[in-house]
Amino acid sequence: AEETEQMIDKEGGREAAEGGAGGSLRAGDAKEMRAVVLAAGGPRRGGLNKLRVSKKAMPEPQEGELKIRVKACGLNFIDLMVRQGNIDNPPKTPLVPGFECSGIVEALGDSVKGFEIGDRVMAFVNYNAWAEVVCTPVEFVYKIPDDMNFSEAAAFPMNFVTAYMMLFEVANLREGMSVLVHSAGGGVGQAVAQLCSTIPNVTVFGTASSFKHEAIKNSVTHLFDRNADYVQEVKRISADGVDIVLDCLCGENTGKGLSLLKPLGTYILYGSSNMVTGETKSFFSFAKSWWQVEKVNPIKLYEENKVIAGFSLLNLLFKQNRGGLIKGVMDKLLNLYNSKKIKPVVDSLWALEEVKEAMQRIHDRGNIGKLILDVEKAPTPLMANDSTETSEAGEEEEDHEGDNENKERMPFIQ
């Protein structure tokens, strides 16, 4: 609590000295905070140049909410898709991206129970996570184990809940089964591998870029290059195929995954990263990915005894009101963590001002595990000029509108 009070005083003093740079507020307004803002994009929505670190009004908790002084934020592939508008009914810009964070409880809204000021927590947030302060309903907040640091905590919720829900709630993973997971070196892929290791005799087939193989070869049973003919490789090892396919790629991999399923096997689509091929949204890439998706015939599923499913954690949380279910899953996951059976894999830490470079690393599929935005980290010297504070000519007025935006909560994907 003392630490958070000192941080508030420090921030307040610094902002006053700076005169509210980056979109100052009127005298008497709430305190400011730093946040990553995705500026209004118009026809060119999605480019990295639309991201900048700006000053925004600090939110205050409403009834049933916690105010969290953020220490670290998770960066996920869905954030790239939001930036590009590669989701159904993308939210209006300007907005603050990010769906998960960790930090210290700074204030409690009315009727909040079970938490105290000063608690170390991790949380899901319906946008707005990439900021120094966030407010989120108490049902989306979880206490951090004593031996878990803030970076690990920010890497934990999205990846492990997604992996657990797909394996155990949707596909009913049991002893002796086999799993094919794409992007095995990513945050979800590594979480899947760790959770599979908690069940006896589970065979994990993984695909990943060849340069990642040395680092992750011990986490899966069989590892293939993402550009190789993995269907034939899997069938060479297991002629009947696999019990579970976890597909975050979409496109032509959908048909391949279905062809690999054993009878009573389950294919789960939980992402569509093949649609993200450039810095901005490409209609051609979007259309190509969907045209490559094999048309699913229910009669064929019936005849072959196969299951096809989809999973979206964010929709489950923020659209379908399953926070109670997710809390139960988090309790199980934290027990596994405390038993030292699972541990989040952190790829690297980035300052808020380095968000463009961090996003580029995910776009290039260069990460092994999770990328984290460390709110207290200073930019590296090579990035000290802070390209996120600049914009192209003609965008400045548009972006300043976002800096003066009120604290209205962003609606989730409709």
Side-chain angles (χ1 to χ4, degrees), residues 177-185 189-190 193 196 201-208 213 216-226 230 232-239 241-242:
M177 295 178 76
S178 55
V179 179
L180 168 65
V181 58
H182 292 297
S183 300
Q190 287 293 287
C196 285
N201 304 317
V202 171
T203 301
V204 180
F205 298 89
T207 70
H213 286 201
I216 67 173
K217 64 182 180 181
N218 295 326
S219 64
V220 299
T221 316
H222 304 285
L223 187 58
F224 312 120
D225 188 283
R226 69 189 302 265
Y230 61 84
Q232 293 305 314
E233 291 293 321
V234 171
K235 288 185 174 180
R236 180 177 58 81
I237 298 168
S238 176
V242 298

Side-chain angles (χ1 to χ4, degrees), residues 6 32 83 92 131 176 315 324 365:
Q6 291 172 0
E32 291 180 323
R83 192 194 83 212
K92 294 181 180 179
N315 280 341
R365 280 74 166 175

Side-chain angles (χ1 to χ4, degrees), residues 120-139:
R120 300 168 69 247
V121 296
M122 52 188 157
F124 292 108
V125 187
N126 191 3
Y127 292 96
N128 297 309
W130 295 355
E132 290 182 315
V133 174
V134 300
C135 291
T136 193
V138 65
E139 66 176 319

Side-chain angles (χ1 to χ4, degrees), residues 94-139:
L95 62 87
V96 176
F99 298 102
E100 64 182 335
C101 65
S102 63
I104 298 172
V105 175
E106 190 167 276
L108 308 176
D110 292 341
S111 76
V112 170
K113 297 179 181 179
F115 292 90
E116 297 178 356
I117 293 176
D119 282 347
R120 300 168 69 247
V121 296
M122 52 188 157
F124 292 108
V125 187
N126 191 3
Y127 292 96
N128 297 309
W130 295 355
E132 290 182 315
V133 174
V134 300
C135 291
T136 193
V138 65
E139 66 176 319

